[in-house]
PDB file of all heavy atoms in Angstrom:
ATOM      1  N   PHE M   1     103.655 100.678 109.536  1.00 98.00           N
ATOM      2  CA  PHE M   1     103.674  99.553 108.611  1.00 98.00           C
ATOM      3  C   PHE M   1     102.285  98.945 108.520  1.00 98.00           C
ATOM      4  O   PHE M   1     101.427  99.170 109.372  1.00 98.00           O
ATOM      5  CB  PHE M   1     104.685  98.494 109.065  1.00 98.00           C
ATOM      6  CG  PHE M   1     104.406  97.958 110.443  1.00 98.00           C
ATOM      7  CD1 PHE M   1     103.626  96.826 110.621  1.00 98.00           C
ATOM      8  CD2 PHE M   1     104.908  98.592 111.558  1.00 98.00           C
ATOM      9  CE1 PHE M   1     103.357  96.332 111.883  1.00 98.00           C
ATOM     10  CE2 PHE M   1     104.650  98.108 112.840  1.00 98.00           C
ATOM     11  CZ  PHE M   1     103.874  96.974 112.995  1.00 98.00           C
ATOM     12  N   ARG M   2     102.089  98.158 107.484  1.00 98.00           N
ATOM     13  CA  ARG M   2     100.845  97.413 107.307  1.00 98.00           C
ATOM     14  C   ARG M   2     101.050  95.974 107.760  1.00 98.00           C
ATOM     15  O   ARG M   2     102.102  95.391 107.533  1.00 98.00           O
ATOM     16  CB  ARG M   2     100.440  97.403 105.826  1.00 98.00           C
ATOM     17  CG  ARG M   2     100.042  98.763 105.310  1.00 98.00           C
ATOM     18  CD  ARG M   2     100.083  98.793 103.809  1.00 98.00           C
ATOM     19  NE  ARG M   2     101.501  98.820 103.399  1.00 98.00           N
ATOM     20  CZ  ARG M   2     101.903  98.913 102.145  1.00 98.00           C
ATOM     21  NH1 ARG M   2     101.026  98.946 101.156  1.00 98.00           N
ATOM     22  NH2 ARG M   2     103.186  98.950 101.850  1.00 98.00           N
ATOM     23  N   ALA M   3     100.010  95.444 108.389  1.00 97.00           N
ATOM     24  CA  ALA M   3     100.025  94.039 108.805  1.00 97.00           C
ATOM     25  C   ALA M   3      98.599  93.510 108.738  1.00 97.00           C
ATOM     26  O   ALA M   3      97.636  94.277 108.760  1.00 97.00           O
ATOM     27  CB  ALA M   3     100.584  93.890 110.212  1.00 97.00           C
ATOM     28  N   ARG M   4      98.480  92.216 108.645  1.00 96.00           N
ATOM     29  CA  ARG M   4      97.148  91.599 108.624  1.00 96.00           C
ATOM     30  C   ARG M   4      96.502  91.729 109.995  1.00 96.00           C
ATOM     31  O   ARG M   4      97.120  91.454 111.019  1.00 96.00           O
ATOM     32  CB  ARG M   4      97.245  90.125 108.260  1.00 96.00           C
ATOM     33  CG  ARG M   4      97.747  89.855 106.867  1.00 96.00           C
ATOM     34  CD  ARG M   4      96.646  89.997 105.874  1.00 96.00           C
ATOM     35  NE  ARG M   4      97.156  89.641 104.546  1.00 96.00           N
ATOM     36  CZ  ARG M   4      96.524  89.892 103.452  1.00 96.00           C
ATOM     37  NH1 ARG M   4      95.349  90.498 103.490  1.00 96.00           N
ATOM     38  NH2 ARG M   4      97.028  89.555 102.295  1.00 96.00           N
ATOM     39  N   ASN M   5      95.241  92.135 109.999  1.00 92.00           N
ATOM     40  CA  ASN M   5      94.512  92.185 111.264  1.00 92.00           C
ATOM     41  C   ASN M   5      93.782  90.863 111.487  1.00 92.00           C
ATOM     42  O   ASN M   5      93.927  89.918 110.708  1.00 92.00           O
ATOM     43  CB  ASN M   5      93.560  93.396 111.307  1.00 92.00           C
ATOM     44  CG  ASN M   5      92.460  93.331 110.264  1.00 92.00           C
ATOM     45  OD1 ASN M   5      92.144  92.276 109.709  1.00 92.00           O
ATOM     46  ND2 ASN M   5      91.863  94.479 109.997  1.00 92.00           N
ATOM     47  N   GLU M   6      92.991  90.812 112.538  1.00 91.00           N
ATOM     48  CA  GLU M   6      92.314  89.557 112.900  1.00 91.00           C
ATOM     49  C   GLU M   6      91.301  89.097 111.860  1.00 91.00           C
ATOM     50  O   GLU M   6      90.891  87.940 111.859  1.00 91.00           O
ATOM     51  CB  GLU M   6      91.648  89.682 114.277  1.00 91.00           C
ATOM     52  CG  GLU M   6      90.512  90.684 114.347  1.00 91.00           C
ATOM     53  CD  GLU M   6      90.961  92.118 114.632  1.00 91.00           C
ATOM     54  OE1 GLU M   6      92.164  92.413 114.624  1.00 91.00           O
ATOM     55  OE2 GLU M   6      90.079  92.954 114.856  1.00 91.00           O
ATOM     56  N   HIS M   7      90.904  89.994 110.933  1.00 95.00           N
ATOM     57  CA  HIS M   7      89.949  89.645 109.881  1.00 95.00           C
ATOM     58  C   HIS M   7      90.640  89.288 108.562  1.00 95.00           C
ATOM     59  O   HIS M   7      89.973  88.986 107.582  1.00 95.00           O
ATOM     60  CB  HIS M   7      88.980  90.807 109.639  1.00 95.00           C
ATOM     61  CG  HIS M   7      88.265  91.243 110.871  1.00 95.00           C
ATOM     62  ND1 HIS M   7      87.310  90.473 111.506  1.00 95.00           N
ATOM     63  CD2 HIS M   7      88.387  92.361 111.625  1.00 95.00           C
ATOM     64  CE1 HIS M   7      86.879  91.106 112.582  1.00 95.00           C
ATOM     65  NE2 HIS M   7      87.520  92.251 112.672  1.00 95.00           N
ATOM     66  N   GLY M   8      91.976  89.360 108.556  1.00 94.00           N
ATOM     67  CA  GLY M   8      92.726  89.055 107.352  1.00 94.00           C
ATOM     68  C   GLY M   8      92.925  90.237 106.426  1.00 94.00           C
ATOM     69  O   GLY M   8      93.483  90.087 105.339  1.00 94.00           O
ATOM     70  N   ASP M   9      92.474  91.424 106.843  1.00 96.00           N
ATOM     71  CA  ASP M   9      92.645  92.641 106.044  1.00 96.00           C
ATOM     72  C   ASP M   9      93.953  93.325 106.419  1.00 96.00           C
ATOM     73  O   ASP M   9      94.485  93.128 107.511  1.00 96.00           O
ATOM     74  CB  ASP M   9      91.488  93.617 106.306  1.00 96.00           C
ATOM     75  CG  ASP M   9      90.141  93.028 105.950  1.00 96.00           C
ATOM     76  OD1 ASP M   9      90.039  92.355 104.900  1.00 96.00           O
ATOM     77  OD2 ASP M   9      89.189  93.229 106.741  1.00 96.00           O
ATOM     78  N   TRP M  10      94.452  94.173 105.504  1.00 97.00           N
ATOM     79  CA  TRP M  10      95.638  94.972 105.813  1.00 97.00           C
ATOM     80  C   TRP M  10      95.221  96.150 106.680  1.00 97.00           C
ATOM     81  O   TRP M  10      94.268  96.849 106.380  1.00 97.00           O
ATOM     82  CB  TRP M  10      96.320  95.487 104.546  1.00 97.00           C
ATOM     83  CG  TRP M  10      96.968  94.419 103.741  1.00 97.00           C
ATOM     84  CD1 TRP M  10      96.589  93.977 102.515  1.00 97.00           C
ATOM     85  CD2 TRP M  10      98.106  93.639 104.101  1.00 97.00           C
ATOM     86  NE1 TRP M  10      97.418  92.973 102.092  1.00 97.00           N
ATOM     87  CE2 TRP M  10      98.360  92.738 103.046  1.00 97.00           C
ATOM     88  CE3 TRP M  10      98.934  93.602 105.213  1.00 97.00           C
ATOM     89  CZ2 TRP M  10      99.415  91.836 103.066  1.00 97.00           C
ATOM     90  CZ3 TRP M  10      99.988  92.697 105.234  1.00 97.00           C
ATOM     91  CH2 TRP M  10     100.211  91.821 104.171  1.00 97.00           C
ATOM     92  N   ALA M  11      95.935  96.365 107.756  1.00 97.00           N
ATOM     93  CA  ALA M  11      95.698  97.497 108.646  1.00 97.00           C
ATOM     94  C   ALA M  11      97.033  98.187 108.904  1.00 97.00           C
ATOM     95  O   ALA M  11      98.091  97.563 108.836  1.00 97.00           O
ATOM     96  CB  ALA M  11      95.098  97.021 109.968  1.00 97.00           C
ATOM     97  N   TRP M  12      96.980  99.474 109.176  1.00 98.00           N
ATOM     98  CA  TRP M  12      98.180 100.256 109.473  1.00 98.00           C
ATOM     99  C   TRP M  12      98.431 100.262 110.974  1.00 98.00           C
ATOM    100  O   TRP M  12      97.513 100.412 111.770  1.00 98.00           O
ATOM    101  CB  TRP M  12      98.030 101.690 108.978  1.00 98.00           C
ATOM    102  CG  TRP M  12      98.258 101.817 107.518  1.00 98.00           C
ATOM    103  CD1 TRP M  12      97.304 101.832 106.538  1.00 98.00           C
ATOM    104  CD2 TRP M  12      99.510 101.938 106.847  1.00 98.00           C
ATOM    105  NE1 TRP M  12      97.883 101.948 105.308  1.00 98.00           N
ATOM    106  CE2 TRP M  12      99.250 102.019 105.467  1.00 98.00           C
ATOM    107  CE3 TRP M  12     100.830 101.971 107.269  1.00 98.00           C
ATOM    108  CZ2 TRP M  12     100.266 102.151 104.525  1.00 98.00           C
ATOM    109  CZ3 TRP M  12     101.835 102.100 106.332  1.00 98.00           C
ATOM    110  CH2 TRP M  12     101.552 102.185 104.969  1.00 98.00           C
ATOM    111  N   PHE M  13      99.710 100.114 111.332  1.00 97.00           N
ATOM    112  CA  PHE M  13     100.143 100.132 112.722  1.00 97.00           C
ATOM    113  C   PHE M  13     101.300 101.106 112.883  1.00 97.00           C
ATOM    114  O   PHE M  13     102.043 101.355 111.933  1.00 97.00           O
ATOM    115  CB  PHE M  13     100.590  98.735 113.179  1.00 97.00           C
ATOM    116  CG  PHE M  13      99.473  97.741 113.198  1.00 97.00           C
ATOM    117  CD1 PHE M  13      99.169  96.994 112.075  1.00 97.00           C
ATOM    118  CD2 PHE M  13      98.704  97.575 114.338  1.00 97.00           C
ATOM    119  CE1 PHE M  13      98.125  96.083 112.079  1.00 97.00           C
ATOM    120  CE2 PHE M  13      97.651  96.665 114.353  1.00 97.00           C
ATOM    121  CZ  PHE M  13      97.368  95.919 113.224  1.00 97.00           C
ATOM    122  N   LEU M  14     101.428 101.635 114.074  1.00 98.00           N
ATOM    123  CA  LEU M  14     102.536 102.521 114.414  1.00 98.00           C
ATOM    124  C   LEU M  14     103.248 101.936 115.623  1.00 98.00           C
ATOM    125  O   LEU M  14     102.618 101.665 116.647  1.00 98.00           O
ATOM    126  CB  LEU M  14     102.022 103.922 114.752  1.00 98.00           C
ATOM    127  CG  LEU M  14     103.063 104.908 115.289  1.00 98.00           C
ATOM    128  CD1 LEU M  14     104.110 105.220 114.217  1.00 98.00           C
ATOM    129  CD2 LEU M  14     102.386 106.189 115.756  1.00 98.00           C
ATOM    130  N   GLN M  15     104.551 101.725 115.474  1.00 97.00           N
ATOM    131  CA  GLN M  15     105.363 101.257 116.595  1.00 97.00           C
ATOM    132  C   GLN M  15     106.306 102.371 117.001  1.00 97.00           C
ATOM    133  O   GLN M  15     106.919 103.021 116.151  1.00 97.00           O
ATOM    134  CB  GLN M  15     106.198 100.037 116.217  1.00 97.00           C
ATOM    135  CG  GLN M  15     105.449  98.756 116.246  1.00 97.00           C
ATOM    136  CD  GLN M  15     106.358  97.549 116.089  1.00 97.00           C
ATOM    137  OE1 GLN M  15     107.454  97.637 115.547  1.00 97.00           O
ATOM    138  NE2 GLN M  15     105.887  96.407 116.545  1.00 97.00           N
ATOM    139  N   ARG M  16     106.416 102.557 118.308  1.00 97.00           N
ATOM    140  CA  ARG M  16     107.365 103.517 118.870  1.00 97.00           C
ATOM    141  C   ARG M  16     108.064 102.849 120.033  1.00 97.00           C
ATOM    142  O   ARG M  16     107.448 102.088 120.777  1.00 97.00           O
ATOM    143  CB  ARG M  16     106.647 104.760 119.383  1.00 97.00           C
ATOM    144  CG  ARG M  16     106.088 105.625 118.297  1.00 97.00           C
ATOM    145  CD  ARG M  16     105.460 106.852 118.901  1.00 97.00           C
ATOM    146  NE  ARG M  16     105.029 107.747 117.836  1.00 97.00           N
ATOM    147  CZ  ARG M  16     104.092 108.654 117.983  1.00 97.00           C
ATOM    148  NH1 ARG M  16     103.478 108.799 119.143  1.00 97.00           N
ATOM    149  NH2 ARG M  16     103.763 109.441 116.974  1.00 97.00           N
ATOM    150  N   GLY M  17     109.339 103.150 120.177  1.00 97.00           N
ATOM    151  CA  GLY M  17     110.071 102.558 121.278  1.00 97.00           C
ATOM    152  C   GLY M  17     111.352 103.300 121.565  1.00 97.00           C
ATOM    153  O   GLY M  17     111.739 104.226 120.842  1.00 97.00           O
ATOM    154  N   GLN M  18     112.002 102.875 122.630  1.00 97.00           N
ATOM    155  CA  GLN M  18     113.240 103.493 123.050  1.00 97.00           C
ATOM    156  C   GLN M  18     114.049 102.482 123.845  1.00 97.00           C
ATOM    157  O   GLN M  18     113.501 101.704 124.622  1.00 97.00           O
ATOM    158  CB  GLN M  18     112.938 104.706 123.924  1.00 97.00           C
ATOM    159  CG  GLN M  18     114.154 105.440 124.381  1.00 97.00           C
ATOM    160  CD  GLN M  18     113.800 106.677 125.189  1.00 97.00           C
ATOM    161  OE1 GLN M  18     112.640 106.926 125.498  1.00 97.00           O
ATOM    162  NE2 GLN M  18     114.802 107.453 125.531  1.00 97.00           N
ATOM    163  N   ALA M  19     115.346 102.531 123.661  1.00 97.00           N
ATOM    164  CA  ALA M  19     116.233 101.711 124.475  1.00 97.00           C
ATOM    165  C   ALA M  19     116.314 102.338 125.857  1.00 97.00           C
ATOM    166  O   ALA M  19     116.546 103.543 125.985  1.00 97.00           O
ATOM    167  CB  ALA M  19     117.619 101.641 123.853  1.00 97.00           C
ATOM    168  N   VAL M  20     116.097 101.547 126.878  1.00 97.00           N
ATOM    169  CA  VAL M  20     116.217 102.041 128.245  1.00 97.00           C
ATOM    170  C   VAL M  20     117.501 101.548 128.899  1.00 97.00           C
ATOM    171  O   VAL M  20     117.838 101.972 130.005  1.00 97.00           O
ATOM    172  CB  VAL M  20     114.984 101.661 129.102  1.00 97.00           C
ATOM    173  CG1 VAL M  20     113.751 102.379 128.590  1.00 97.00           C
ATOM    174  CG2 VAL M  20     114.767 100.170 129.133  1.00 97.00           C
ATOM    175  N   GLU M  21     118.210 100.680 128.180  1.00 97.00           N
ATOM    176  CA  GLU M  21     119.508 100.210 128.656  1.00 97.00           C
ATOM    177  C   GLU M  21     120.362  99.844 127.446  1.00 97.00           C
ATOM    178  O   GLU M  21     119.885  99.205 126.515  1.00 97.00           O
ATOM    179  CB  GLU M  21     119.330  98.991 129.569  1.00 97.00           C
ATOM    180  CG  GLU M  21     120.608  98.480 130.166  1.00 97.00           C
ATOM    181  CD  GLU M  21     120.391  97.267 131.061  1.00 97.00           C
ATOM    182  OE1 GLU M  21     119.233  96.899 131.321  1.00 97.00           O
ATOM    183  OE2 GLU M  21     121.405  96.686 131.473  1.00 97.00           O
ATOM    184  N   ARG M  22     121.605 100.280 127.473  1.00 97.00           N
ATOM    185  CA  ARG M  22     122.562  99.963 126.410  1.00 97.00           C
ATOM    186  C   ARG M  22     123.827  99.382 127.037  1.00 97.00           C
ATOM    187  O   ARG M  22     124.152  99.685 128.183  1.00 97.00           O
ATOM    188  CB  ARG M  22     122.903 101.217 125.599  1.00 97.00           C
ATOM    189  CG  ARG M  22     121.723 101.728 124.791  1.00 97.00           C
ATOM    190  CD  ARG M  22     122.130 102.868 123.852  1.00 97.00           C
ATOM    191  NE  ARG M  22     121.001 103.316 123.073  1.00 97.00           N
ATOM    192  CZ  ARG M  22     120.601 102.777 121.928  1.00 97.00           C
ATOM    193  NH1 ARG M  22     121.269 101.765 121.403  1.00 97.00           N
ATOM    194  NH2 ARG M  22     119.548 103.243 121.288  1.00 97.00           N
ATOM    195  N   ASP M  23     124.536  98.559 126.259  1.00 96.00           N
ATOM    196  CA  ASP M  23     125.781  97.990 126.759  1.00 96.00           C
ATOM    197  C   ASP M  23     126.924  98.993 126.570  1.00 96.00           C
ATOM    198  O   ASP M  23     126.714 100.122 126.121  1.00 96.00           O
ATOM    199  CB  ASP M  23     126.072  96.641 126.097  1.00 96.00           C
ATOM    200  CG  ASP M  23     126.308  96.715 124.604  1.00 96.00           C
ATOM    201  OD1 ASP M  23     126.539  97.816 124.057  1.00 96.00           O
ATOM    202  OD2 ASP M  23     126.268  95.647 123.956  1.00 96.00           O
ATOM    203  N   ALA M  24     128.133  98.590 126.903  1.00 96.00           N
ATOM    204  CA  ALA M  24     129.292  99.479 126.838  1.00 96.00           C
ATOM    205  C   ALA M  24     129.579  99.980 125.423  1.00 96.00           C
ATOM    206  O   ALA M  24     130.139 101.060 125.243  1.00 96.00           O
ATOM    207  CB  ALA M  24     130.525  98.761 127.394  1.00 96.00           C
ATOM    208  N   GLU M  25     129.160  99.227 124.406  1.00 94.00           N
ATOM    209  CA  GLU M  25     129.373  99.633 123.012  1.00 94.00           C
ATOM    210  C   GLU M  25     128.214 100.463 122.463  1.00 94.00           C
ATOM    211  O   GLU M  25     128.215 100.867 121.311  1.00 94.00           O
ATOM    212  CB  GLU M  25     129.597  98.408 122.117  1.00 94.00           C
ATOM    213  CG  GLU M  25     130.933  97.713 122.328  1.00 94.00           C
ATOM    214  CD  GLU M  25     130.936  96.811 123.561  1.00 94.00           C
ATOM    215  OE1 GLU M  25     129.915  96.138 123.811  1.00 94.00           O
ATOM    216  OE2 GLU M  25     131.952  96.804 124.276  1.00 94.00           O
TER     217      GLU M  25
END
């Protein structure tokens, strides 16, 4: 996704993640 960086410009970012714990559902 694009987000504003510290200079106010649009920059591209990549987020990755994983659930390490889930409930019964």
Side-chain angles (χ1 to χ4, degrees):
F1 59 92
R2 292 162 286 183
R4 295 279 184 193
N5 64 19
E6 65 274 9
H7 304 291
D9 300 318
W10 291 112
W12 281 96
F13 295 89
L14 173 65
Q15 280 189 336
R16 290 183 175 157
Q18 182 177 6
V20 294
E21 183 180 353
R22 292 187 179 274
D23 64 15
E25 289 79 39

